[in-house]
Structure formats: structure tokens, C-alpha cells
Amino acid sequence: QFHKIKYEDLTWVESLGQGSFTRIFKGYKTDIHDGEKHVTNVFLKELDAVHKDYWESFFEAASLMSQISHKHLLLVYGVSVYGAKNIMVQEFVEYGALDLFLKRGRSVSVSWKLDVAKQLASVLNFLEEKNIVHGNICAKNLLLAREGDPAQGSPPFIKLSDPGIRVGMLSREVILDRIPWVAPELLMDPNNLTLESDKWSFGASVWEIFNGGNNPLLGWDLNLKHQFYENFQQLPPSQWTELADLIAQCMDYQAAFRPSCRSIIRQLNSMITSDYVILHAAEPVTQ
Ligand code: ATP
Ligand code: MG
């Protein structure tokens, strides 16, 4: 399902800290093609030794990413196994995670954010056509390959990263902590990932993108987060009615009522003109 990469072909450059169940590094991989040496920057995700039981799900994520190809989907070169080490070797994406980028507080225009949403919708549509569920869509898993010009017209370029460990494998605490990205029906049945559950996560991610990459329920304890879903609550709506409406459709507690990707894309495309009105009439809406 995936390409095996020899551990000897990998070089560790620096530690970048921790992911959810991983230690993350910048590095490079060396290949020999027709006697010529090729060096590629890579992002190395090593499954934490304490979470080694997750290895199968970790490799499933790598395998999923290796099987499909789309310009807005992160490239996974393969996996490397060395002793007890399980490593996913990915393309290194220059500007890192989108939530962090937005949190740095640069001025980012509405059309830039709308472009990000459209690019994410295009991968979602691609996955829907292939009947493939991602399972962990959030701004943290959107990587910024090109900044564009956030304040002006030129568009960004994002890539959706791998889903990591499957929701069904995670503890109750970790799942509750993923509120409001995890679809509410998954609390009842975490193994029931569907195309519809990705739509919910898409809605939450679009909310994040338009709210400076902030966690909408930052600091809420797990009980409160749980109550948020129990009470069928919604995230604070955007002032931009069309956007608020799209997010509300995606974050519908009834999975069957969430829109198709075609409808999502149609709605995003029709937002261009209103975007202009907001951008020029009411400055404060731009972050
Ligand atoms: P999860 O499975 O929950 O997504 P993870 O192990 O993928 O967890 P993340 O928290 O998603 O870990 O990623 C950690 C950080 O690594 C991100 O904030 C991002 O800045 C950076 N990062 C992830 N993938 C890449 C990549 N391919 N290139 C550059 N930076 C990356
Ligand atoms: Mg990730």
C-alpha cells in the first residue's frame, strides 16, 4: 500500500516538537536515480514509543495518503521502519500549519480565506467522488505550501495532511477534546466515519479559518464540550450571512442534511461578489 523507505536514506536535521501521538522532525531523504543523487526535504513523523499500539492505524493513514493524489493533498513518500521506530515520511510544507499561521495575527483578507476554503472544498469533493473518508479535517491539518499575499489578491496554496490515528482507536477523552471538529454522531459510534462526518469537520474548519485560526471552544473542559453537543449548540455565526449559512449547513446535527460537495463549492463560488462588498465596505471583518 505504501512505499518503504530505507532508514539509512533518511537524515534527521532538527526536532520540531510533538504532534498528537508523534515526534516531528525536519530532515531529508536521499535517493539514487540512474546513478544520480537526489536530495529531498522531508517532514518526518515518528510514532511515539508510548503509542506504539497505534502503529497499524498510523500506517493506514500513510497508506490512505499514498493511494490517492490531488494537488491539495499532502504528498506522503512512504514509511520507514527501523527497530521499534515507525516513521511516516512526508513532503515538507514550507509555511506549516494554517491555524498557527493565522494565529500569528498577520492581516489576512477575506478573499485569501475564501480561497483556502475553496481549496479545501476541492479536496473534499475529490475524496467524496472516490468515496474516501479523511476523518481528521481541521486547520491544524491544513498546511500552507504558498503564502500568496494574505493582505492583497494573490492566493495561498494549501495541502490537507494525513488524518493520523483513526477516531475509533482514540480514547473518549481525546475524542471529546476534538469537539467541535469531530462530528457529533461519532461520540455515539466513533467507528462510523462517513463522508458526512467530514462535512461537519469541514464546517468547523471554515469557521476556524475565518476566525483567526482560533479554537472556538478554547479552555472548555471536556464536560462542557460534551454538553455543547448534547444541547445541539452552534458556533457563533459569522456576520457574513452566506458564510454563516454554509457553516450551519455543514454543522447540521442531522448528518443526512449536510450539503453535497457540489453544493458547498457552488455556495463558495457565489460568495465572490459579496466578499468584495465586505472587503471594501467594512474593514474590521478582515482579520
Ligand atoms: P494529528 O494526527 O492529530 O493531526 P499530528 O501528529 O499530525 O497529529 P499535528 O499537530 O497535526 O501532528 O502537526 C504538528 C505540527 O507539525 C503542525 O502544527 C505543523 O506546523 C507541523 N507539520 C505537520 N506536517 C507538516 C509538513 N508536512 N510539513 C511541515 N510542517 C508540518
Ligand atoms: Mg496532523
Side-chain angles (χ1 to χ4, degrees):
Q1 310 104 303
F2 42 70
H3 185 63
K4 285 257 173 62
I5 294 172
K6 285 203 234 84
Y7 188 73
E8 306 85 78
D9 292 342
L10 298 172
T11 308
W12 264 248
V13 174
E14 61 174 319
S15 166
L16 298 175
Q18 298 258 315
S20 293
F21 305 101
T22 54
R23 295 195 298 147
I24 54 183
F25 304 87
K26 182 175 189 164
Y28 56 87
K29 95 181 154 71
T30 312
D31 308 272
I32 312 281
H33 281 306
D34 309 322
E36 248 189 274
K37 198 169 133 180
H38 292 267
V39 175
T40 317
N41 283 332
V42 291
F43 186 83
L44 300 162
K45 255 190 206 184
E46 184 187 332
L47 187 63
D48 255 325
V50 285
H51 298 299
K52 64 175 187 307
D53 291 351
Y54 286 150
W55 72 270
E56 221 166 341
S57 188
F58 185 66
F59 285 172
E60 255 172 48
S63 157
L64 170 94
M65 299 297 284
S66 311
Q67 278 166 36
I68 45 181
S69 142
H70 185 273
K71 60 180 177 174
H72 292 298
L73 210 50
L74 182 76
L75 213 60
V76 170
Y77 294 120
V79 300
S80 189
V81 179
Y82 185 74
K85 286 179 191 284
N86 296 306
I87 304 144
M88 199 189 306
V89 185
Q90 309 185 330
E91 133 185 46
F92 190 90
V93 181
E94 198 57 34
Y95 300 97
L98 186 69
D99 64 329
L100 298 177
F101 179 85
L102 293 169
K103 274 183 227 169
R104 270 178 235 134
R106 304 191 34 187
S107 143
V108 177
S109 73
V110 173
S111 60
W112 193 95
K113 295 174 196 172
L114 196 55
D115 279 324
V116 171
K118 285 178 185 170
Q119 292 175 17
L120 180 56
S122 81
V123 212
L124 208 65
N125 185 51
F126 170 81
L127 294 172
E128 187 184 69
E129 280 172 355
K130 295 229 166 338
N131 203 20
I132 293 172
V133 179
H134 182 274
N136 194 4
I137 295 171
C138 54
K140 182 190 76 163
N141 280 337
L142 295 178
L143 302 167
L144 199 54
R146 195 177 67 211
E147 277 185 299
D149 185 345
Q152 300 299 319
S154 99
F157 198 91
I158 56 135
K159 297 203 173 203
L160 177 61
S161 178
D162 71 280
I165 311 304
R166 186 158 46 82
V167 183
M169 297 285 296
L170 303 176
S171 69
R172 181 88 181 150
E173 287 70 30
V174 173
I175 297 177
L176 289 175
D177 196 44
R178 286 207 187 163
I179 295 174
W181 292 276
V182 66
E185 65 272 14
L186 289 174
L187 294 194
M188 301 284 291
D189 185 2
N191 281 307
N192 188 28
L193 281 172
T194 59
L195 294 173
E196 284 70 37
S197 48
D198 273 354
K199 304 261 168 63
W200 175 285
S201 310
F202 171 83
S205 306
V206 172
W207 190 97
E208 252 188 306
I209 292 162
F210 280 87
N211 286 277
N214 292 311
N215 181 340
L217 306 182
L218 186 70
W220 291 38
D221 70 33
L222 297 186
N223 259 326
L224 275 177
K225 284 190 173 191
H226 192 198
Q227 277 173 35
F228 184 86
Y229 277 4
E230 296 271 282
N231 300 330
F232 303 104
Q233 278 175 268
Q234 295 289 344
L235 298 177
S238 164
Q239 293 165 267
W240 187 5
T241 339
E242 288 86 350
L243 183 74
D245 190 40
L246 175 62
I247 292 172
Q249 288 171 38
C250 294
M251 300 181 81
D252 192 314
Y253 280 81
Q254 282 218 263
F257 291 164
R258 294 173 201 152
S260 67
C261 285
R262 286 186 56 176
S263 163
I264 291 174
I265 290 170
R266 203 181 326 112
Q267 295 183 56
L268 286 170
N269 285 338
S270 74
M271 279 184 213
I272 298 169
T273 41
S274 15
D275 161 8
Y276 246 80
V277 174
I278 289 176
L279 199 63
H280 296 293
E283 261 325 303
V285 178
T286 55
Q287 284 282 320

